[in-house]
């Protein structure tokens, strides 16, 4: 035992030294937050956790999440000490070409998820722990290290209650209570009764320890491993900057690296504090090569018989539920996470078919998204569903998932004003804008059951980033043949003729308004083409451009969403340099309660509005001639 | 006492009757959620709360927030019973022309804030209660009625801890524990020990009562009024659908109105359950006219001497802090709410000057925003500040503030990749897209200290919706004279000549890149115009269009933000039908750690990229001629 303790004290000293040097070299970084966590990390990485450096993805291995992402130098230090990061590489911390970023991202092979926006780690850990239970890998532990400032984030308490609800006893949290936030002491400071009361009340087994005592930490983890039916929270009393006496526990040192000229003195302080550990001489760890990250492989789906056909009317939200069940039959690691609206999103169909792969996340969207990230990190394919409006509640979590390149599948129901009487609080009107803005995201908005069904399959196969499916509340007629294909990035030309005078680009509910407008205009002998733009990102601008050019150059976009960041801007921006005239109909007034038809009319996105826009545009006699822009002229 | 009790029982019965009729008439609405809350509402509205129907805005009046917004029929019923809603108007519930929306909005004169996205009411209430304390209106009480499902939302626990931290003993929450969520029982169901443990641990005085006993409710509120230094949570055991025996406490009745043909039977059930109350005959309340809502008046600012001048370099985030202090001197009800990053946002300057008007909200952005809504609802002018990236954490709260037409002022620092080494988790890259999508929002992104200072003033004067100011981490030179004006919706032409071959539209940090590009291109005898597009929404497309037309029709936009929903799309969309060529430079690769210069180069948004884009565009010899689009041709 005493050898173990002295070894771990040695490791903790070495981690501090590595972190100190790395941050000083970088000229920035959160050294004081790293120092308070050094002993915890040493105990975890050099004794408690079971993992294989050659197989970071092994589902039987324990997992670690650094929720207080800014303290990452101490984790890089651990991998340095384990031999998979060389001293040279450690000093690339925060440099452009380094995978050792300022906050952890999966660009570094041993990081599963991106952190840095605080308060998400415990939810991610809960997702990992639950996935392990649900897939019979119930042996591994998931460890989550949090800061004490981030415990103010509500998402932490969402995770707290869900972990306790699902009795995740192999989820072990550690709070590094160093008392100081970025700019001020935390609310609870060193009030450990407060921590104990809160976490106990939330159903956790709480162990309070001195976070700088290797002995107490070892004891705490040992006790934690014997707890049944409850998650465990280790509340560790620490000191910010611990090890460098001159700044220990002082305000004003958050996120500040030491100056190069100070380094020798700081190292001397470390040696003085940890004289015993510092006197130990061990050989440098041999540098090991890191295994390459496995490419995320998309499952290949077998064709599925669609359980509906033309003539039927089915809400796309219901088609999503049906599709999830059908694909769930062949994709074993498909999960459904729902935010207590399963009877609205139709995730309830999946629950009925595969109860063990359905996770009720209750009304806690932030936790649902981060749990989804945890499921993804262990290789599962979760679909997170709620009202489209409520992804706004968890958009920081979605943003962080995108930074971690997690292929999270999101499904938002109750799109737009078409939901009617419930009013604006329940209407998804910003969701397309939110999801489009993320790198590598895919935004899908099908109008009928067939396209919805096919696109759910496309989402399963899409592994390069976030994919989002927007579904509609009301039933809509099936307009596509079951054999039709709907690739991501495509669109469908559903009406066209040789004498079209405009093309209407619609999606979801407005496709039916466009079809009505088409009929209406026919009565006046006006022909228009209609595009079902089911893939809003990527956008099939090539097809839209080609059809618009054939249709006298007039384009009308129409969407049940606010204009900024929506379909209209996407199309307008994409075709801005083309010789076209583009009118965009979108929600531009704050909506209210009313019938679906009243609201579509109020916002000017119904068939009448389309008819009026087409008539107005084509009668506008636009006769401008694009100036010749010739290099020689431009530079004259 | 017994007269009081029988009167309140009568009121509760009447409220149930009104709500039942209103929802049945509407054909939709959450009647069962309304019924569980009827006794609580009766006791609050007809005995406990002090308010004046003729003066809804009176700062001395108690306030009520219906956090479980879907139960609003029971609140409309209360106003019906108070005489300010006629029977006829009550039956317009959920109709297009009615102010009695499906979820509460301030279109109805007695509603202060929009609710309907769950879990926000307690934060709003905490904001109201704290505002009352800080402005010496410490007499009024703030009551918040929550559902038990929404207690799963983390934002509730953010509010719980902040209310206890600030010892808001005049904040009284009530949880309507009817055991059933939308689609499944709640996590805690009727486990009142769980409720007591959690709320006590969070520092609240907890009172558990039978929520259908008028006597117990009266007693609870009376006790609540005697609690010192702590907020109070009344946990009320209720039954969903209480009063209609045939469906009481049953699953499957959430959000479902009864059919018209059932109404008589349902009324009969009500009468049977409350036979004593139903037998009381009182006169219908005389219908009173509601007072008109006061227009929100913007303060008129006196000119301020700017404490910096040209030649200096000051980060715009610091200029924000300086401006807030200066305006704080003349605007008495200006407040600063900060998310524990006051030394990054420079809200710390305001704290130092006006500690009593600074509110430390810790790392709990959702609660900060909703507290801000509470401050606004009591007439104050709060500026909520954090990293721009972290408004993503509270975007549902911002969305709901927009639905409630609350003029919330938001300031996000650390915009874009230019922050450098901290990496993508800390970079605001979606914030412009998020804020632009909201109705009536204003999005400002100044490049220097003068414009920042002036725009903070413009935000104080803007009362029609959300305003958002995006600030930059690094210091930038002051380029404007202190006398320059910066109206919302304007832009500044900062370089132009008679022989410009393109116009570069930049904002914030990229303005300086554009200026460098301007210099660089001059060396090759290429002149460009440069616009500082400090107001991204509204956009001054008129000026951009005019200058672009004078500049050979070439436009290059450049921004430190993702392309979708950002400056490029705003400009491109707005000028899509003009005879121009628009190139857009924006962040399009997932960024990482690195220096600011490396990252601006990596994303192709630095001076070199601008130079290259201009040279490429003007040498592209675009010679297309816009087709003549003539009505007669179109319809031939």
């Amino acid at each position: 035992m005493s050898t173990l303790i002295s070894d771990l004290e040695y490791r903790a000293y070495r981690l501090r030294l590595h972190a100190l040097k790395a941050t000083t070299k970088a000229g920035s970084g959160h050294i004081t937050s790293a120092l308070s966590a050094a002993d915890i990390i040493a105990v975890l990485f050099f004794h408690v956790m079971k993992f294989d450096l050659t197989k970071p993805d092994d589902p039987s291995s324990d997992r670690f999440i650094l929720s207080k992402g800014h303290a990452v130098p101490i984790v890089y230090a651990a991998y340095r000490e384990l031999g998979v990061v060389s001293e040279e590489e450690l000093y690339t911390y925060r440099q452009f070409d380094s995978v050792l970023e300022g906050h952890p991202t999966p660009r570094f092979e041993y990081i599963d998820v991106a952190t840095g926006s605080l308060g998400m780690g415990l939810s991610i850990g809960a997702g990992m722990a639950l996935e392990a239970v649900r897939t019979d890998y119930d042996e591994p532990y998931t460890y989550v290290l949090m800061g004490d400032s981030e415990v103010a984030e509500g998402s932490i308490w969402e995770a707290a209650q869900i972990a306790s609800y699902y009795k995740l006893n192999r989820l072990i949290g550690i709070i590094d209570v160093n008392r100081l936030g970025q700019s001020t002491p935390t609310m609870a400071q060193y009030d450990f009764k407060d921590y104990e009361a809160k976490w106990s009340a939330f159903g956790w087994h709480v162990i309070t320890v001195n976070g700088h005592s290797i002995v107490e930490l070892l004891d705490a983890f040992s006790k934690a491993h014997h707890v049944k039916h409850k998650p465990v929270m280790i509340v560790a009393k620490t000191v910010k900057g611990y090890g460098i006496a001159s700044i220990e526990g002082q305000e004003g040192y958050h996120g500040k690296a030491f100056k190069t000229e100070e380094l020798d003195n700081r190292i001397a302080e470390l040696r003085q504090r940890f004289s015993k550990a510092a006197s130990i001489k061990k050989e440098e760890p041999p540098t090991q090569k890191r295994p390459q990250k496995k490419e995320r492989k998309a499952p290949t789906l077998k064709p599925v018989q669609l359980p509906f056909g033309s003539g039927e009317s089915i809400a796309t939200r219901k088609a999503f539920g049906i599709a999830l069940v059908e694909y769930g039959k062949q994709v074993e690691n498909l999960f459904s996470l729902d935010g207590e609206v399963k009877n609205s999103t139709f995730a309830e169909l999946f629950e009925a078919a595969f109860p063990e792969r359905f996770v009720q996340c209750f009304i806690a969207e932030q936790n649902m998204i981060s749990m989804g990230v945890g499921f993804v990190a262990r290789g599962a394919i979760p679909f997170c569903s709620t009202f489209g409006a409520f992804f706004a509640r968890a958009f920081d979590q979605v943003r962080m998932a995108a930074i971690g390149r997690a292929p999270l599948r999101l499904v938002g129901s109750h799109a737009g004003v078409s939901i009617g009487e419930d009013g604006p609080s329940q209407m998804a009107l910003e969701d397309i804008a939110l999801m489009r803005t993320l790198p590598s995201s895919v935004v899908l908005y099908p109008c009928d059951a067939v396209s919805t069904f096919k696109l759910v399959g496309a989402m399963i196969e899409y592994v390069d980033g976030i994919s989002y499916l927007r579904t509609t509340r009301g039933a809509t007629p099936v307009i596509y043949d079951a054999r039709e294909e709907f690739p991501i990035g495509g669109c469908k030309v559903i009406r066209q003729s040789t004498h079209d005078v405009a093309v209407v680009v619609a999606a979801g509910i407005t496709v039916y308004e466009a079809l009505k407008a088409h009929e209406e205009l026919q009565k006046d002998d006006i022909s228009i083409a209609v595009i079902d733009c089911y893939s809003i990102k990527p956008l099939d601008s090539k097809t839209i451009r080609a059809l618009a050019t054939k249709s006298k150059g007039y384009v009308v976009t129409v969407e049940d969403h606010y204009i900024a960041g929506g379909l209209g801007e996407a199309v307008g921006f994409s075709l801005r340099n083309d010789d076209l005239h583009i009118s965009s109909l979108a929600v531009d007034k704050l909506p209210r309660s009313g019938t679906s038809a009243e609201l579509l009319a109020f916002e000017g996105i119904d068939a009448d509005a389309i008819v009026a826009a087409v008539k107005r545009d084509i009668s506008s006699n636009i006769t401008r001639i694009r100036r010749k822009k010739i290099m020689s002229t431009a530079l004259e």
Side-chain angles (χ1 to χ4, degrees), chain A:
Chain A
M1 186 70 176
S2 73
T3 322
L4 172 64
I5 290 164
S6 81
D7 180 62
L8 292 176
E9 283 173 349
Y10 166 78
R11 300 294 184 181
Y13 164 72
R14 294 272 298 174
L15 299 193
R16 287 190 162 93
L17 196 64
H18 295 320
L20 177 60
K21 288 180 181 174
T23 51
T24 308
K25 176 72 171 53
S28 70
H30 300 75
I31 180 61
T32 54
S33 308
L35 289 172
S36 67
D39 304 294
I40 298 162
I41 294 292
V43 170
L44 276 172
F45 278 71
F46 295 91
H47 181 70
V48 172
M49 286 205 301
K50 310 296 170 221
F51 58 94
D52 179 345
L53 283 172
T54 67
K55 287 189 264 171
D57 292 332
D58 185 351
S60 307
S61 286
D62 291 342
R63 299 283 177 132
F64 172 77
I65 301 149
L66 184 70
S67 190
K68 51 175 287 187
H70 54 285
V72 73
I74 207 70
V75 173
Y76 298 149
Y79 286 105
R80 163 79 195 100
E81 194 63 17
L82 287 165
V84 288
V85 169
S86 68
E87 177 140 14
E88 190 188 357
E89 183 178 16
L90 183 67
Y91 293 157
T92 66
Y93 163 59
R94 289 182 162 246
Q95 289 179 17
F96 182 74
D97 287 323
S98 176
V99 297
L100 306 179
E101 296 206 49
H103 290 77
T105 75
R107 289 181 61 230
F108 180 51
E109 292 81 348
Y110 295 105
I111 300 281
D112 289 321
V113 294
T115 53
S117 183
L118 292 168
M120 298 184 190
L122 199 62
S123 295
I124 297 170
M128 286 181 171
L130 187 57
E131 199 275 348
V133 170
R134 292 287 179 94
T135 50
D136 292 331
Y137 281 107
D138 57 354
E139 302 234 344
Y141 281 94
T142 305
Y143 298 92
V144 180
L145 179 60
M146 286 169 281
D148 50 348
S149 278
E150 67 176 313
V151 174
E153 287 284 13
S155 50
I156 293 268
W157 299 101
E158 294 182 3
Q161 69 198 347
I162 211 88
S164 139
Y165 181 82
Y166 284 114
K167 304 189 198 313
L168 300 175
N169 67 314
R170 286 173 182 268
L171 175 63
I172 299 180
I174 307 105
I175 308 179
D176 176 3
V177 182
N178 66 23
R179 198 186 63 86
L180 297 176
Q182 166 174 331
S183 70
T184 196
T186 63
M187 275 184 277
Q189 302 201 30
Y190 281 147
D191 183 349
F192 290 91
K193 278 193 187 152
D194 180 273
Y195 281 100
E196 271 195 49
K198 282 178 177 161
W199 288 94
S200 299
F202 271 74
W204 289 57
H205 182 88
V206 185
I207 303 172
T208 302
V209 294
N210 176 350
H212 298 309
S213 161
I214 301 290
V215 178
E216 286 192 34
L217 285 166
L218 284 172
D219 186 51
F221 284 109
S222 165
K223 280 182 182 147
H225 290 167
H226 289 91
V227 173
K228 305 270 177 230
H229 311 306
K230 270 185 176 191
V232 181
M233 188 55 67
I234 297 175
V235 183
K237 183 176 181 179
T238 63
V239 176
K240 199 156 176 171
Y242 190 73
I244 299 181
S246 57
I247 55 102
E248 273 177 10
Q250 286 180 38
E251 286 192 63
Y253 286 93
H254 180 92
K256 286 188 183 150
F258 294 111
K259 297 203 176 76
T260 311
E261 54 271 27
E262 293 175 85
L263 182 61
D264 289 346
N265 286 337
R266 298 315 181 192
I267 291 176
E269 285 186 81
L270 269 191
R271 282 182 193 281
Q272 197 173 347
R273 160 84 65 191
F274 306 107
S275 54
K276 207 179 102 199
S279 69
I280 297 175
K281 297 274 174 252
K282 293 202 188 187
E283 269 183 45
E284 283 283 306
T287 302
Q288 263 179 270
K289 242 190 116 178
R290 300 197 291 266
Q292 275 210 309
K293 256 208 160 146
K294 273 190 220 149
E295 286 280 301
R296 232 183 271 276
K297 249 180 50 195
T300 315
L301 297 173
K302 281 171 286 184
V304 174
Q305 185 78 31
L306 267 60
F308 37 69
S310 62
E312 288 184 62
S313 259
I314 302 170
T316 55
R317 59 180 172 138
K318 188 166 184 182
F320 154 68
I322 294 168
L324 208 60
V325 171
E326 290 303 318
Y327 294 118
K329 291 176 187 166
Q330 50 170 305
V331 183
E332 272 184 9
N333 57 351
L334 193 68
F335 283 81
S336 164
L337 277 61
D338 197 66
E340 221 275 77
V341 286
K342 65 186 181 191
N343 53 347
S344 288
T345 59
F346 283 96
E348 65 180 9
L349 301 179
F350 190 85
E351 182 188 27
F354 307 104
E356 76 288 357
R357 287 196 269 144
F358 175 82
V359 181
Q360 179 52 269
C361 296
F362 298 94
I363 308 184
E365 296 80 5
Q366 301 190 76
N367 179 69
M368 174 175 72
I369 296 299
S370 293
M371 288 235 300
V373 171
F375 270 74
V376 166
R378 286 185 55 86
I381 302 180
F383 274 73
C384 299
S385 51
T386 182
F387 281 34
F390 302 143
F391 283 114
R393 191 60 156 265
F395 191 64
D396 197 26
Q397 280 77 5
V398 177
R399 179 180 79 87
M400 288 303 298
I403 290 173
R405 297 183 189 271
L408 207 56
R409 285 87 174 172
L410 307 176
V411 179
S413 69
H414 290 64
V417 302
S418 77
I419 68 161
E421 289 79 359
D422 270 341
S425 65
Q426 316 297 302
M427 297 168 176
L429 289 164
E430 307 87 355
D431 55 328
I432 294 176
L434 266 58
M435 298 300 176
R436 277 186 67 235
T437 196
L438 299 169
S440 306
S441 65
V442 162
V443 179
L444 307 169
Y445 183 20
C447 69
D448 87 335
V450 169
S451 48
T452 303
F453 195 100
K454 297 290 180 91
L455 289 169
V456 172
M459 288 170 80
I460 294 171
E461 292 175 332
Y462 183 73
V463 292
D464 296 333
I466 307 288
S467 52
Y468 176 61
L469 181 78
R470 186 180 212 231
T471 67
T472 301
R473 178 168 179 257
T476 48
V478 172
I479 62 169
Y480 291 111
D481 186 276
R483 284 159 303 187
E484 199 88 41
E485 291 305 323
F486 294 84
I488 288 174
C491 69
K492 291 286 172 192
V493 178
I494 52 178
R495 290 289 183 277
Q496 67 174 323
S497 71
T498 51
H499 45 285
D500 294 326
V501 295
V503 53
V504 175
V505 182
I509 194 81
T510 61
V511 167
Y512 300 92
E513 300 301 318
L515 290 174
K516 275 186 259 175
H518 177 271
E519 260 181 63
E520 201 54 43
L521 287 163
Q522 287 290 2
K523 294 178 191 162
D524 293 331
D525 271 341
I526 302 173
S527 285
I528 57 168
V530 176
I531 286 179
D532 168 10
C533 192
Y534 66 81
S535 176
I536 294 180
K537 183 185 175 188
L539 185 76
D540 186 357
S541 44
K542 204 174 144 191
T543 299
I544 301 173
R545 177 181 294 116
L547 198 62
T549 307
K550 280 200 270 177
S551 307
K552 314 278 179 196
Y554 287 97
V555 179
V556 176
T557 68
V558 55
E559 69 195 296
D560 194 356
H561 182 277
Y562 288 133
I563 184 71
L567 174 68
E569 268 197 12
V571 171
F573 178 73
S574 158
L575 304 181
R576 68 196 179 281
N577 292 330
D578 289 286
D579 184 12
L580 302 168
H581 183 275
I582 303 164
S583 291
S584 288
L585 311 180
V587 176
D588 68 351
K589 290 190 284 284
L590 185 59
R592 51 171 78 170
S593 292
T595 65
S596 183
E598 281 168 335
L599 291 164
L600 292 172
F602 176 62
E603 300 292 353
I605 55 171
D606 64 353
D608 287 352
I610 298 168
V611 166
V614 168
K615 288 187 173 173
R616 181 198 62 218
D617 286 353
I618 60 176
S619 65
S620 61
N621 279 329
I622 294 165
T623 56
R624 290 160 308 168
I625 294 173
R626 205 174 258 265
R627 254 166 312 163
K628 292 185 185 183
K629 294 171 189 164
I630 301 170
M631 179 71 173
S632 56
T633 322
L635 292 181
E636 74 194 354

